[in-house]
Amino acid sequence: MGVIAIIPVVAFFSTGILKKDDFDHFMWTIVFLAMGGIALGQGVMSSGLLKVMDLVIRDLVNDASLYSVVLILSPVVLIISTFISHTIASLLLVPIAKE
């Protein structure tokens, strides 16, 4: 999955566009935050939690008006995005909301 991303890193460091100081000053905390969010999203999908959430949310919004769906999904999004990154929360909830 991340094999393509290594090509520019190797190219930039081997040609001298980037130096060792650039590598040392890279914001690794952001990289690890993104990697953790991706791992959390994969874990939610592979564990079946996404399917369970899908069924629960569908039962809540079944035959509801658009306004009611927004009122139901807003607190769900607020709670979920409090504990995980907003990007992963939207990746998890947009397919559910779309249906």
Side-chain angles (χ1 to χ4, degrees), residues 31 64 75 77 81 99:
V31 173
V77 170
S81 64
E99 305 243 346

Side-chain angles (χ1 to χ4, degrees), residues 10-93:
V10 170
F12 291 158
F13 282 107
S14 63
T15 59
I17 294 173
L18 293 175
K19 307 282 186 230
K20 183 181 182 299
D21 292 336
D22 297 323
F23 186 78
D24 292 339
H25 292 106
F26 194 72
M27 298 181 76
W28 291 107
T29 54
I30 295 173
V31 173
F32 289 125
L33 179 67
M35 289 177 2
I38 292 170
L40 185 60
Q42 290 293 326
V44 167
M45 285 189 265
S46 66
S47 70
L49 181 61
L50 185 60
K51 296 273 187 207
V52 171
M53 286 175 45
D54 182 33
L55 292 174
V56 169
I57 293 172
R58 281 178 193 244
D59 288 341
L60 287 172
V61 298
N62 193 18
D63 296 328
S65 68
L66 181 61
Y67 183 72
S68 300
V69 170
V70 170
L71 287 177
I72 292 169
L73 285 179
S74 294
V76 171
V77 170
L78 177 69
I79 292 168
I80 290 175
S81 64
T82 299
F83 298 107
I84 61 176
S85 76
H86 297 274
T87 304
I88 300 302
S90 61
L91 285 173
L92 294 174
L93 294 172

